[in-house]
């Protein structure tokens, strides 16, 4: 199955000089103080959260608020260079039912007027439009056709500048209200985005809205959504939840998916992502398999991306080769399923991906890896090949955005918590590679008997994270729980790079043949 290139996103960040390590007179720990003794925050005196409550389709925040061909679900996303962005929006109404007629995407133009003054939007960009359908060849399943989806690329923008824009079709006229966004800074030793919000497995529940409210209180310049945005595939075509697939789909070889959840999510998120760029990594809930083995159709249609679809390893290798670490010293990688998670849920599912790719990321000195998928929070010590390594990345799982599925509360090292190995096979990740460990504290076993050494901190709570890069060696990471005050952080640490001790050592293609070279831990 081909996956879109944004399955794995690489961010290269350039930063200014900075030395202070204390805030408000209190010293924040750094990764140089580690590796840390593993910490698990217990769930004190409360029932572990399970199924969160969805926003109903009657909620005004998810209802259509425009008329005619006026734009809705407006969003901004980054392009491949700092002087360009994508503006995306939808016009017209989606249709769901048995007798639907797709809209003609050519009947509405894709135009953006923009400029650095709110009163003078003299620049113009023309984009393209499309629709997508979800048709089921099975009796009783309703079909879906989207509104007209528009994407327009704005080029030749000034880095680090505030722009105002309107999108729509000026000939009708049907234009949006005026929105604004900030472009990213130009690569260089003195430029960086101040605050990057990181959230995964968001969904559209009341917990999701709390996460978004907390996230916005931190005033991010960029949002990374680590997959599983809407969970549209958890619903029947009448909109009701479908927690039991085998009960809900007894006679169909594929699962239907309630596409209006995408529209609800786009409407709810519009006030945020029409002004703050968002980069969305696809997760397993974006697969949405249809007839003729079509996958990722909703995701690929609704979002604009900085890269074309390509074979994943070769794309990543080329992308890493192009990074000039003197201009962009930080490398941050994101994808959906974690390699290093000690929770029972999804334990070692992505082992095949780790075996094939970990050496490549390590050799190019990737500093931080963000993942979702596991509905909890976990931060690792620096690790490589399951062994503590001062030059390995810090892996952070932020899959606690607030979706309607239950939160992960059990760990693989809990009594009776270790899953049966055959249950960790994941068809989407390319096979089974999770065998017993052959060395280290868990030698001869499939799971650790205690919280693994690589796991520095873990907690089962809804929340989000903020990354603030200070200079070429220091970045502040804070994790914020929904139940806490907006300004407070539950987990915080300075992630420190040591380029002198951990130089980039790219591997040659001949060094990498189907797995990690050198020592093995599995």
């Amino acid at each position: 199955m081909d996956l879109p290139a944004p399955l794995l996103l690489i961010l290269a960040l350039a930063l200014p000089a900075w030395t202070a390590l204390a805030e408000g007179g209190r010293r924040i720990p750094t990764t140089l103080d580690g590796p840390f003794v593993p910490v698990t925050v217990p769930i004190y005196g409360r029932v572990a959260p399970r199924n969160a409550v969805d926003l109903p389709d009657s909620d005004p925040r998810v209802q259509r608020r425009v008329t005619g061909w006026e734009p809705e679900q407006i969003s901004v996303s980054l392009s491949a260079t700092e002087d360009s962005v994508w503006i995306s929006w939808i016009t017209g109404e989606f249709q769901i039912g048995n007798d639907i007629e797709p809209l003609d995407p050519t009947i509405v133009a894709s135009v953006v007027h923009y400029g650095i003054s709110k009163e003078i939007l003299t620049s113009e960009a023309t984009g393209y439009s499309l629709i997508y359908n979800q048709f089921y060849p099975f009796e009783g399943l309703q079909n879906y056709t989207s509104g007209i989806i528009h994407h327009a690329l704005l080029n030749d923008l000034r880095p680090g500048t505030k722009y105002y824009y309107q999108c729509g079709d000026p000939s009708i006229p049907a234009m949006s209200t005026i929105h604004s966004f900030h472009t990213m800074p130009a690569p260089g030793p003195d430029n960086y985005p101040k605050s990057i919000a990181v959230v995964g497995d968001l969904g559209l529940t009341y917990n999701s809205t709390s996460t978004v409210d907390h996230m916005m209180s931190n005033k991010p310049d960029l949002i990374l959504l680590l997959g599983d945005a809407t969970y549209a595939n958890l619903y029947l075509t009448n909109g009701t939840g479908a927690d039991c697939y085998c009960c809900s789909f007894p006679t169909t070889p594929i699962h239907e998916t309630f596409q209006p959840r995408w529209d609800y999510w786009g409407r709810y998120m519009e006030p945020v992502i029409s002004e703050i760029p968002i980069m969305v990594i696809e997760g397993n809930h974006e697969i949405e398999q249809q007839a003729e083995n079509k996958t990722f159709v909703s995701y690929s249609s609704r979002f604009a991306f900085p890269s074309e679809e390509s074979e994943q390893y070769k794309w990543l290798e080329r992308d890493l080769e192009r990074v000039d670490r003197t201009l962009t010293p930080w490398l941050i990688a994101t994808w959906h399923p974690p390699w290093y998670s000690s929770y029972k849920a999804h334990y070692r599912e992505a082992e095949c991906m780790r075996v094939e790719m970990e050496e490549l990321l390590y050799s190019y000195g990737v500093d931080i890896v963000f993942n979702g998928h596991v509905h909890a929070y976990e931060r690792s010590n620096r690790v490589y090949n399951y062994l503590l390594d001062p030059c390995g990345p810090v892996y952070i799982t932020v899959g606690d955005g607030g979706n309607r599925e239950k939160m992960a509360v059990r760990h693989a090292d809990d009594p009776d918590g270790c899953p049966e190995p055959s249950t960790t096979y994941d068809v989407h990740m390319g096979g089974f590679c999770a065998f017993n460990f052959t060395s280290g504290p868990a030698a001869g076993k499939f799971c650790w008997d205690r919280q693994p050494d690589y796991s520095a901190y873990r907690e089962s709570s809804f929340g989000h994270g903020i990354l603030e890069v200070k200079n070429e060696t220091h970045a502040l990471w804070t994790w914020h729980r929904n139940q806490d005050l907006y300004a407070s952080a539950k987990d915080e640490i300075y992630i420190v790079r040591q380029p002198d001790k951990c130089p980039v050592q790219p591997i040659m293609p001949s060094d990498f043949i189907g797995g990690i070279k050198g020592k093995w831990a599995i």
Side-chain angles (χ1 to χ4, degrees):
M1 178 189 303
D2 290 333
L3 301 182
L7 174 70
L8 194 151
L9 177 67
I10 295 291
L11 297 181
L13 302 178
L15 324 155
W18 180 87
T19 56
L21 289 178
E23 292 188 353
R26 178 176 56 83
R27 184 181 182 277
I28 298 173
T30 81
T31 51
L32 298 182
D33 301 323
F36 299 95
V37 175
V39 171
T40 298
V41 177
I43 302 174
Y44 289 110
R46 62 184 176 91
V47 177
R50 294 188 69 82
N51 291 69
V53 179
D54 276 325
L55 266 65
D57 56 12
S58 59
D59 190 296
R61 292 171 290 184
V62 305
Q63 291 183 334
R64 191 170 188 257
R65 299 181 293 274
V66 299
T67 60
W69 298 107
E70 294 175 358
E72 65 160 352
Q73 305 181 48
I74 303 168
S75 65
V76 184
S77 59
L78 302 183
S79 185
T81 58
E82 72 281 354
D83 63 351
S84 58
V85 302
W86 287 96
I87 306 296
S88 303
W89 68 97
I90 293 179
T91 56
E93 298 188 57
F94 69 81
Q95 303 165 60
I96 186 167
N98 297 319
D99 298 316
I100 59 176
E101 184 175 349
L103 296 172
D104 179 357
T106 65
I107 63 176
V108 182
S110 308
V111 177
V112 179
H113 293 156
Y114 62 99
I116 58 174
S117 170
K118 189 174 184 179
E119 289 73 31
I120 308 175
L121 304 179
T122 54
S123 298
E124 180 176 298
T126 300
Y128 67 94
S129 60
L130 69 148
I131 63 159
Y132 75 90
N133 305 306
Q134 191 168 80
F135 295 148
Y136 294 108
F138 310 110
E139 184 177 353
L141 302 190
Q142 299 179 28
N143 295 321
Y144 172 92
T145 183
S146 71
I148 301 172
I149 302 170
H150 305 261
H151 299 294
L153 182 64
L154 279 54
N155 282 310
D156 299 321
L157 305 177
R158 301 178 189 173
T161 301
K162 185 174 184 178
Y163 280 86
Y164 298 89
Y165 73 95
Q166 281 183 302
C167 58
D169 186 340
S171 68
I172 293 180
M175 297 292 286
S176 71
T177 58
I178 296 177
H179 297 276
S180 64
F181 64 88
H182 279 89
T183 54
M184 294 293 104
D190 299 321
N191 301 321
Y192 61 99
K194 181 179 182 299
S195 176
I196 301 173
V198 184
V199 63
D201 303 70
L202 188 57
L204 191 56
T205 70
Y206 289 102
N207 287 308
S208 309
T209 63
S210 178
T211 297
V212 172
D213 289 345
H214 277 72
M215 180 177 69
M216 292 310 298
S217 73
N218 284 314
K219 298 180 173 56
D221 301 307
L222 174 66
I223 300 171
L224 298 182
L225 177 50
L226 307 174
D228 291 357
T230 72
Y231 289 82
N233 68 332
L234 292 186
Y235 303 83
L236 304 175
T237 53
N238 63 8
T240 59
D243 293 322
C244 174
Y245 285 130
C246 61
C247 305
S248 303
F249 311 101
T251 61
T252 61
I254 60 175
H255 301 324
E256 59 180 323
T257 171
F258 187 58
Q259 288 301 292
R261 295 298 299 184
W262 281 98
D263 296 284
Y264 300 163
W265 189 88
R267 291 165 184 166
Y268 172 77
M269 292 295 293
E270 179 181 333
V272 174
I273 61 178
S274 61
E275 308 220 340
I276 300 174
I278 184 170
M279 304 303 291
V280 183
I281 310 302
E282 75 269 30
N284 54 295
H285 286 276
E286 276 75 64
I287 296 175
E288 297 185 305
Q289 184 179 0
Q290 299 182 47
E292 300 178 355
N293 201 34
K294 293 180 179 178
T295 56
F296 296 104
V297 175
S298 311
Y299 169 82
S300 299
S301 300
R302 291 175 181 267
F303 298 110
F305 305 109
S307 300
E308 294 293 330
E309 181 177 343
S310 60
E311 200 280 313
Q312 196 175 146
Y313 185 91
K314 293 179 180 179
W315 165 82
L316 174 60
E317 188 173 36
R318 288 195 302 268
D319 211 47
L320 291 170
E321 287 174 348
R322 289 197 292 263
V323 178
D324 182 350
R325 300 300 283 270
T326 63
L327 292 176
T328 54
W330 286 87
L331 273 181
I332 301 168
T334 74
W335 61 88
H336 186 60
W339 293 348
Y340 290 97
S341 170
S342 60
Y343 284 85
K344 180 178 181 179
H346 306 300
Y347 181 68
R348 298 180 71 182
E349 276 184 359
E351 193 73 0
C352 289
M353 182 183 178
R354 186 194 69 81
V355 168
E356 292 295 332
M357 289 188 156
E358 186 176 23
E359 171 72 4
L360 181 64
L361 269 62
Y362 181 82
S363 69
Y364 277 95
V366 169
D367 301 295
I368 308 171
V369 174
F370 290 119
N371 304 114
H373 200 43
V374 175
H375 299 165
Y377 173 73
E378 186 166 18
R379 170 175 55 83
S380 81
N381 288 304
R382 290 191 175 275
V383 61
Y384 168 65
N385 204 18
Y386 286 107
L387 301 175
L388 298 179
D389 189 316
C391 296
V394 174
Y395 290 82
I396 301 177
T397 298
V398 197
D400 55 349
N403 67 83
R404 70 182 297 269
E405 292 185 316
K406 63 184 179 181
M407 176 161 284
V409 296
R410 297 199 65 195
H411 309 106
D413 51 276
D414 290 341
D416 300 321
C418 186
E420 205 283 322
S422 65
T423 65
T424 64
Y425 171 81
D426 188 276
V427 63
H428 305 298
M429 298 308 301
F432 180 83
C433 300
F435 303 99
N436 286 352
F437 294 95
T438 58
S439 62
K445 302 173 184 176
F446 190 71
C447 301
W448 293 57
D449 293 331
R450 53 181 169 79
Q451 185 173 355
D453 293 343
Y454 64 75
S455 176
Y457 182 100
R458 62 188 184 188
E459 181 173 352
S460 299
S461 291
F462 292 119
H464 75 284
I466 296 290
L467 181 69
E468 302 174 67
V469 184
K470 303 300 184 180
N471 65 8
E472 69 266 19
T473 58
H474 288 73
L476 175 62
W477 167 255
T478 56
W479 175 63
H480 303 258
R481 304 186 307 181
N482 288 1
Q483 66 263 39
D484 297 332
L485 297 175
Y486 279 6
S488 65
K490 179 61 177 174
D491 183 38
E492 54 186 345
I493 189 169
Y494 278 105
I495 298 173
V496 181
R497 298 181 63 249
Q498 296 181 284
D500 294 337
K501 294 184 177 180
C502 304
V504 176
Q505 297 177 326
I507 58 175
M508 299 301 293
S510 59
D511 293 335
F512 189 92
I513 304 176
I516 297 173
K517 66 174 183 177
K519 60 182 179 290
W520 284 79
I522 60 170

